[in-house]
Amino acid sequence: MIYMYKVAVVGDKDSILGFKALGVDVFPVVEKDEARRVVDTLARHKYGIIFITEQTASLIPETIERYNNQMLPAVILIPSNQGTLNIGMDMINKNVEKAVGTNIL
Amino acid sequence: MAILNVKPTRMELTTLRKRLATATRGHKLLKDKQDELMRRFIELIRKNKALRMDVEKELHESFQEFLLASAVMSPELLKQAVAYPKESISVEIKKKNIMSVNVPAMNFIRKLEGDEGSIYPYGFVQTSSELDDAISKLYGIMPKLLELAEIEKATQLMADEIEKTRRRVNALEYRTIPDLEETIRYIRMKLDENERSSITRLMKVKDIIQKEA
């Protein structure tokens, strides 16, 4: 199954504007409901990868969680311009704990 | 350990023996699967962690430059500068099978692949050099970011699968197999007991018949 997927970036406007110059579709969001709606819509519309800033992701943890055990889309957290909240790292550590039982890293 | 709720008959014994053989075989296979998954997972997660650290650091730097650019330029001009990108990134996704886990194999396609021209979608008259730096930096991070997406998704899916497999292995090892063994022993005992009792009965009957004759 080969299909061309698009790449999206979701987050606050100032953080993600730079991605636009690279030809990635950007979707600035501010509110929680808006963020959830945007992510869900993107997932339905052939976006294979959705980068979302940690600040925005922290508003909608359930939505992010929901896409974690599906093959597509890949929802990947990136830091925003206010720095990182370490959610991305935490998720890696949580995965290790889930798989191995203890954190071995 | 509980004895399963079955009648102690020879037929039941045969079915249980078959089930035990299947369970043992399944347990061995699943255990192998779990070991191999774990090995691959640990390999990937180390890479994942290093890559994420790298990407976060570089993104941070790029954002800083972008912040500088937005400080120097007016917001309208900035928006206008990036409004019509030259480059366009899409991704071709195939399924890859790692130990029965379907993980995406992503292949990135840039429209400007092989194009030697500038990546900046704007003229240099109204924009500052800070913006150039920020964007060229971001452009450099992009391949790493996309690789991160691929690896991180794979580790997420594999972590789920490992958890599931571990549960199955444990259920077989500590519940199904001991239960079956216990029940098989119980049925064997019961059948032996029945046989002994029927032999004694026969001997008794024979004695009585001989006495009467």
Side-chain angles (χ1 to χ4, degrees):
Chain A
M1 182 193 71
I2 303 174
Y3 191 87
M4 300 301 294
Y5 290 87
K6 290 177 278 184
V7 182
V9 183
V10 179
D12 61 292
K13 196 171 123 256
D14 293 331
S15 298
I16 62 173
L17 195 58
F19 285 99
K20 186 152 190 181
L22 304 180
V24 180
D25 298 346
V26 300
F27 297 89
V29 294
V30 184
E31 277 172 42
K32 186 176 163 182
D33 290 339
E34 202 183 350
R36 183 178 303 137
R37 212 169 43 240
V38 165
V39 171
D40 284 339
T41 319
L42 292 180
R44 274 201 306 275
H45 284 88
K46 290 290 170 200
Y47 280 88
I49 307 175
I50 301 170
F51 292 107
I52 181 164
T53 63
E54 288 183 349
Q55 267 78 3
T56 310
S58 64
L59 300 175
I60 49 166
E62 324 84 46
T63 312
I64 309 290
E65 194 67 39
R66 186 145 46 84
Y67 290 111
N68 273 353
N69 41 27
Q70 294 176 13
M71 194 181 107
L72 289 174
V75 179
I76 305 298
L77 304 186
I78 55 171
S80 78
N81 62 359
Q82 282 128 39
T84 165
L85 295 175
N86 266 328
I87 304 178
M89 269 304 173
D90 284 349
M91 262 164 81
I92 294 183
N93 289 332
K94 234 164 60 192
N95 269 341
V96 174
E97 266 172 43
K98 191 155 92 176
V100 186
T102 48
N103 195 346
I104 51 161
L105 295 183
Chain B
M1 284 304 119
I3 291 169
L4 300 177
N5 183 21
V6 290
K7 292 210 172 65
T9 61
R10 204 163 281 280
M11 200 169 95
E12 207 62 69
L13 183 67
T14 324
T15 22
L16 283 181
R17 278 212 178 116
K18 265 186 207 145
R19 270 180 68 192
L20 179 65
T22 320
T24 319
R25 197 174 134 78
H27 173 255
K28 190 187 161 293
L29 285 173
L30 277 175
K31 187 98 187 163
D32 287 352
K33 176 184 171 186
Q34 187 194 10
D35 288 349
E36 175 63 10
L37 261 179
M38 194 66 99
R39 193 184 64 81
R40 298 266 191 111
F41 177 77
I42 285 168
E43 235 167 58
L44 266 183
I45 201 88
R46 277 188 210 286
K47 211 160 134 199
N48 188 186
K49 193 156 185 168
L51 199 62
R52 176 162 274 278
M53 248 153 35
D54 213 22
V55 164
E56 283 188 358
K57 202 177 115 251
E58 284 186 34
L59 262 183
H60 187 65
E61 283 168 22
S62 163
F63 281 142
Q64 269 175 344
E65 298 203 25
F66 208 77
L67 209 63
L68 271 181
S70 62
V72 185
M73 289 168 61
S74 77
E76 290 83 18
L77 271 179
L78 191 65
K79 226 170 154 179
Q80 192 189 332
V82 296
Y84 287 101
K86 235 177 111 184
E87 169 77 291
S88 156
I89 293 177
S90 53
V91 49
E92 183 190 272
I93 300 181
K94 278 186 241 169
K95 264 196 224 160
K96 201 169 67 179
N97 195 330
I98 299 184
M99 298 301 291
S100 86
V101 189
N102 282 328
V103 303
M106 299 174 178
N107 189 15
F108 304 104
I109 292 162
R110 300 175 153 192
K111 208 175 74 189
L112 291 188
E113 191 80 73
D115 191 335
E116 296 293 312
S118 112
I119 54 167
Y120 310 111
Y122 45 79
F124 295 127
V125 180
Q126 288 170 316
T127 52
S128 70
S129 70
E130 281 86 359
L131 185 63
D132 298 355
D133 290 345
I135 285 180
S136 92
K137 191 141 204 152
L138 209 55
Y139 194 74
I141 301 170
M142 217 53 203
K144 274 189 190 169
L145 206 55
L146 297 173
E147 198 189 339
L148 178 71
E150 183 177 356
I151 291 184
E152 197 151 301
K153 192 77 209 174
T155 53
Q156 272 169 7
L157 293 169
M158 282 170 82
D160 276 345
E161 185 68 20
I162 288 177
E163 200 191 20
K164 251 195 272 174
T165 314
R166 199 179 47 221
R167 277 166 178 275
R168 277 190 203 144
V169 169
N170 284 347
L172 279 175
E173 187 171 349
Y174 295 109
R175 190 84 228 174
T176 315
I177 293 178
D179 275 5
L180 284 174
E181 279 171 346
E182 189 105 340
T183 317
I184 287 173
R185 229 192 38 234
Y186 158 74
I187 294 182
R188 244 199 0 250
M189 296 291 180
K190 198 87 178 173
L191 287 177
D192 285 356
E193 188 68 30
N194 282 349
E195 204 170 324
R196 274 196 297 275
S197 79
S198 71
I199 285 178
T200 28
R201 200 163 48 235
L202 279 179
M203 286 163 81
K204 207 99 185 166
V205 170
K206 212 174 158 193
D207 268 1
I208 295 172
I209 295 174
Q210 260 177 354
K211 236 180 245 168
E212 281 183 3

